[in-house]
Amino acid sequence: MPITRRWSSSGNAALRKLIGAGVLVSLLIASGPILGGSGNSLAASQIQSASCASCHSTSQPARKKAGKAPPFVDASILKGSIHRSLSCTACHEGMGAVPHPKKPPRPTCGKCHGRESRLFDTGIHGQELRKGNPKAPECYSCHGSHNIRKAADRQSLVFPANLPRVCVKCHLEGVEKGREAFRQETGRHREPFPSYLSSIHWKTLEEKGIMGVALCNDCHESHDLKPMSDPRSPINRKNIPETCGRCHIGILTVYNASIHGQAMRAGRADAPVCTDCHGEHTIETAREKSSTISSATISRTTCPRCHSAERIVDHYGVVSQRVTRFLDSYHGVESRAGRPVVANCASCHGTHDIRASSDPLSSVNKANLPHTCGQCHPGAGANFAKGTVHASKQKDAVTMIVRKIYFWLILLTIGGMLGHNTVVMGREFVNSYKKHRADSAVRFSKSVVIQHILTNTSFSVLAITGFALHFPDAWWSSWLVRAETGAVFRGFLHRLAAAVLTGVCLYHVYYVIRTGRGRKEVREIFPSFKDAKHGLLLLKRAALGTREDIDFGRYIYAEKLEYWALAWGTVVMMVTGFPMWFPDVFMRFFPRWILDLLRAIHYYEAWLAVLAVVVWHFFHVMFHPETYPMNWTWLTGRMSIEELKKRPREYERVVLAGKNTDGSKSAHTKDSPAEKDRGRK
């Protein structure tokens, strides 16, 4: 017994010592991160992470079965993270106790990444985050959460090839919200990311897989992003050359020595920088037709933005109209004609090394012009430097003399020809009218003639004043809208003509319903299946030269088409025009998009109507060989007997029955002297 008791006492003491040592080891392991031991830290983090994984790495059904569904963390993703050696509480502070706080604190990345965190806080993203903007990005928005990897890792979100797709998550909102809303909110006309996709930077990376091209953070920075208005921002106007020069070092050196670079360093805000010529995000090579520096664009759009701008020309004393004169020169004409290989602004002045013509190093200095021209014209000598370059009309005295001589020569020669033809044409009109009056029968009453004249006049005024609104700079409309009150006067004329046309239409409806002549006219002009047959026969006769007779009545198919097309078009123009005349009243009952729809219909229906009149109606009234120079019926209400004979049924009524088409007695009967004489012939 004594021996046994003694053994038991000593065994208990040994057991107590063993438990104490285990507790001490556990405390040391748990305090490893605090004490700084790497081995202990790794072991402790693994133990702590394993404890978190017991809830957060289980399957969704198992978590729900246990009555809890904490956020799921994929252990395989966490294993590939650069933070895999850290414990969960290293980022999620205050989450070691269970149950966790109801409102977990945000991860404090700045505890380890102090410099990046300070830069982020001073940048535009950090400022927006402090303002409470729910769309403002945080660290995990760009770097990820548990899948954070080194930037050199191809699976990293911030790997160069992946970075633009990270930025687009927020900066493609312009497409989703609508272009107009995006423009109003940001002041941009094009969304950044879609523009960047067409740039040489993205194509080089995406299509060729070449690294080292400009990405979003190369121009905008990674953490210290600042708005363009901030003088410290790399995309601030005065900093853009240096920003682009990070990659294009040699070009920056050349640009700084140019007249543009010197003006920029002198603080002139209007001096062009890289983005003025190349664009901001849509940077393309000169080989692309859509590029701002292509041979077809640079002389017509890019350079004229400054060198034809009135404000810049006046402020800096730049010689005006240089671009216009260049476009009138041989090179400019060839360029506008679409020839790809022709001299443009950059061909002579250079691209980045543009200097004043007085600079001895300038490519357009008189001493250097033979060499500059010789790049395209081998063997060019001193004669290439003589004379004006941009087709100037003021400085070249010889050209001015020739211009004045030919001005008067053209004026007198062509003016004399026009005068001669006007006299001849006038006599033809007089003879045609006399013949028409002497040998014609009544076709329309005075009421119909007046309706046609008013319709013709109001339609013409509507067409001119309506299209003048869309083409105010055209030669035929500028006189109407350029005056101080031109816009008001144009609108008044347009509405007055609309009122006249509406009145004529209403009267015509009354005429064809309430009068016997009107009802008869509608019956005669109503289309039938026979009209299609007549149209085919007429085309056959015109194409093959056949001579078969066509049983036309009072109206042929072409006149019927015109009448009903006019009726349809007038109704459409009235229905769409009056809401635009009184938009405030209209939009009390209908949304704005309906008004926009009516405006589009009104515009394109106007095109249809005008083109139909010019191509179809004018041909039959003026340009048809049998009616040239004009069919007088629309003014006199009478039709020639020769024309009536082409309408057999109408001729029988007028000549054989002795009645005009308006119901009055006809002077042309089968027994009349005119008809007897015609029969003898």
Side-chain angles (χ1 to χ4, degrees):
M1 284 294 293
I3 297 174
T4 303
R5 287 176 185 160
R6 223 175 17 250
W7 174 251
S8 298
S9 299
S10 62
N12 288 335
L15 181 61
R16 285 195 297 272
K17 290 180 180 180
L18 181 62
I19 292 172
V23 171
L24 179 60
V25 170
S26 299
L27 291 174
L28 288 172
I29 292 174
S31 62
I34 300 174
L35 298 175
S38 60
N40 290 339
S41 174
L42 177 60
S45 66
Q46 291 173 343
I47 293 173
Q48 197 271 339
S49 298
S51 176
C52 297
S54 63
C55 291
H56 290 277
S57 292
T58 57
S59 63
Q60 180 76 3
R63 287 183 285 154
K64 286 186 176 180
K65 187 176 181 181
K68 54 186 177 180
F72 177 72
V73 178
D74 192 335
S76 62
I77 293 178
L78 189 60
K79 188 179 296 184
S81 170
I82 195 174
H83 291 159
R84 59 183 174 274
S85 62
L86 298 178
S87 65
C88 299
T89 54
C91 296
H92 301 281
E93 293 181 321
M95 301 294 286
V98 179
H100 299 317
K102 291 184 178 180
K103 188 176 182 181
R106 293 179 180 274
T108 53
C109 302
K111 184 175 64 176
C112 297
H113 305 282
R115 178 180 176 275
E116 290 80 2
S117 179
R118 287 190 298 273
L119 291 174
F120 176 83
D121 289 340
T122 60
I124 190 171
H125 289 160
Q127 294 175 12
E128 289 297 314
L129 188 63
R130 288 199 302 274
K131 292 178 183 177
N133 186 345
K135 297 181 181 180
E138 300 186 49
C139 302
Y140 64 84
S141 303
C142 302
H143 294 275
S145 52
H146 298 103
N147 57 332
I148 300 174
R149 295 171 178 263
K150 291 182 178 181
D153 190 328
R154 289 186 174 272
Q155 297 184 41
S156 172
L157 294 177
V158 293
F159 181 74
N162 303 328
L163 184 61
R165 295 184 177 88
V166 174
C167 300
V168 76
K169 289 189 297 184
C170 296
H171 291 280
L172 194 58
E173 278 192 351
V175 176
E176 297 170 358
K177 293 190 303 183
R179 295 180 183 275
E180 190 59 35
F182 182 82
R183 291 174 185 174
Q184 293 177 1
E185 183 176 325
T186 64
R188 297 192 184 100
H189 290 278
R190 293 194 66 183
E191 296 81 5
F193 188 73
S195 302
Y196 178 75
L197 290 181
S198 62
S199 70
I200 184 62
H201 292 147
W202 173 257
K203 290 179 180 178
T204 303
L205 176 64
E206 184 74 0
E207 298 175 5
K208 300 180 181 179
I210 299 176
M211 305 298 291
V213 298
L215 302 170
C216 308
N217 62 328
D218 289 311
C219 300
H220 296 273
E221 298 294 353
S222 299
H223 301 96
D224 188 19
L225 284 88
K226 289 182 169 56
M228 186 186 302
S229 57
D230 193 323
R232 299 169 295 173
S233 171
I235 58 171
N236 181 273
R237 185 172 180 80
K238 68 181 183 62
N239 298 329
I240 285 177
E242 296 296 331
T243 300
C244 298
R246 296 173 184 173
C247 298
H248 305 282
I249 302 173
I251 293 177
L252 175 63
T253 303
V254 174
Y255 169 82
N256 285 335
S258 72
I259 192 170
H260 292 157
Q262 293 174 14
M264 173 54 65
R265 291 201 308 278
R268 296 181 178 178
D270 294 323
V273 295
C274 312
T275 53
D276 289 307
C277 300
H278 295 275
E280 296 176 348
H281 298 95
T282 316
I283 301 174
E284 299 175 306
T285 64
R287 294 186 298 273
E288 299 287 342
K289 290 184 178 180
S290 58
S291 172
T292 55
I293 57 171
S294 69
S295 59
T297 305
I298 191 168
S299 298
R300 283 183 285 178
T301 305
T302 305
C303 295
R305 276 203 298 263
C306 293
H307 289 273
S308 289
E310 184 177 349
R311 178 178 56 85
I312 294 178
V313 168
D314 291 343
H315 186 71
Y316 295 106
V318 178
V319 179
S320 62
Q321 297 184 350
R322 282 280 173 85
V323 176
T324 304
R325 295 169 192 164
F326 167 78
L327 294 176
D328 290 337
S329 69
Y330 168 79
H331 291 147
V333 171
E334 288 288 297
S335 175
R336 284 185 291 166
R339 185 176 178 183
V341 183
V342 65
N344 54 51
C345 303
S347 303
C348 301
H349 293 272
T351 52
H352 302 98
D353 56 337
I354 300 172
R355 297 171 179 264
S357 59
S358 58
D359 190 328
L361 298 178
S362 171
S363 56
V364 293
N365 184 277
K366 287 187 177 182
N368 301 327
L369 276 177
H371 175 266
T372 301
C373 299
Q375 295 175 359
C376 298
H377 304 277
N383 287 333
F384 269 77
K386 296 178 180 179
T388 56
V389 178
H390 295 98
S392 173
K393 297 177 181 178
Q394 283 75 22
K395 294 184 178 181
D396 194 335
V398 176
T399 304
M400 280 294 295
I401 293 173
V402 172
R403 176 172 171 266
K404 288 183 178 181
I405 291 174
Y406 268 94
F407 173 81
W408 288 106
L409 182 61
I410 292 171
L411 181 64
L412 295 174
T413 303
I414 304 303
M417 292 178 178
L418 286 174
H420 170 273
N421 293 348
T422 301
V423 172
V424 174
M425 185 61 70
R427 175 48 56 186
E428 288 297 321
F429 269 100
V430 172
N431 293 338
S432 172
Y433 179 73
K434 287 182 178 180
K435 181 180 178 182
H436 170 80
R437 292 294 297 181
D439 191 21
S440 61
V442 176
R443 177 169 173 80
F444 294 129
S445 64
K446 291 182 179 180
S447 174
V448 174
V449 172
I450 293 173
Q451 290 178 54
H452 186 278
I453 292 175
L454 289 176
T455 301
N456 180 31
T457 305
S458 59
F459 179 90
S460 301
V461 174
L462 282 168
I464 294 172
T465 56
F467 284 118
L469 180 64
H470 292 273
F471 306 101
D473 296 325
W475 62 268
W476 51 267
S477 63
S478 58
W479 63 272
L480 183 62
V481 297
R482 282 186 179 177
E484 186 174 349
T485 58
V488 177
F489 181 62
R490 184 214 63 83
F492 169 76
L493 282 181
H494 193 75
R495 291 170 177 81
L496 178 62
V500 171
L501 183 61
T502 302
V504 173
C505 291
L506 294 176
Y507 175 78
H508 185 71
V509 172
Y510 167 81
Y511 175 78
V512 299
I513 294 176
R514 299 294 297 172
T515 67
R517 292 179 182 176
R519 290 192 292 270
K520 184 178 179 181
E521 291 284 3
V522 170
R523 287 195 299 269
E524 291 286 348
I525 207 168
F526 203 83
S528 65
F529 289 108
K530 189 180 290 186
D531 293 315
K533 179 183 177 181
H534 288 170
L536 293 175
L537 287 174
L538 186 63
L539 287 175
K540 178 183 176 182
R541 192 168 70 181
L544 303 179
T546 58
R547 293 184 174 274
E548 66 249 59
D549 294 330
I550 303 175
D551 187 25
F552 285 128
R554 176 165 171 76
Y555 294 104
I556 66 174
Y557 68 94
E559 293 165 340
K560 293 182 179 182
L561 281 175
E562 284 186 85
Y563 177 83
W564 292 107
L566 174 64
W568 161 260
T570 303
V571 171
V572 171
M573 297 303 282
M574 289 171 60
V575 170
T576 58
F578 278 100
M580 292 189 293
W581 192 345
F582 306 102
D584 296 338
V585 176
F586 179 81
M587 284 194 289
R588 292 177 188 173
F589 309 98
F590 300 96
R592 173 61 180 266
W593 70 266
I594 295 183
L595 185 65
D596 294 336
L597 175 64
L598 295 179
R599 182 180 287 107
I601 295 174
H602 193 84
Y603 176 68
Y604 290 108
E605 180 67 25
W607 269 114
L608 178 62
V610 170
L611 291 175
V613 167
V614 171
V615 174
W616 188 265
H617 189 65
F618 283 3
F619 170 76
H620 288 94
V621 175
M622 293 186 292
F623 302 119
H624 195 287
E626 295 178 356
T627 59
Y628 188 82
M630 187 172 68
N631 188 331
W632 293 96
T633 303
W634 73 280
L635 280 175
T636 65
R638 304 176 68 87
M639 176 174 280
S640 69
I641 300 301
E642 291 297 328
E643 182 65 23
L644 276 175
K645 283 189 173 182
K646 298 173 185 176
R647 306 163 191 253
R649 285 186 283 134
E650 185 72 0
Y651 178 75
E652 290 176 5
R653 181 186 304 147
V654 174
V655 177
L656 302 183
K659 288 185 178 181
N660 288 319
T661 53
D662 66 345
S664 61
K665 186 177 180 180
S666 173
H668 290 270
T669 64
K670 61 181 180 180
D671 299 322
S672 65
E675 289 302 308
K676 288 181 179 180
D677 184 61
R678 195 187 307 274
R680 285 194 296 270
K681 291 180 180 179

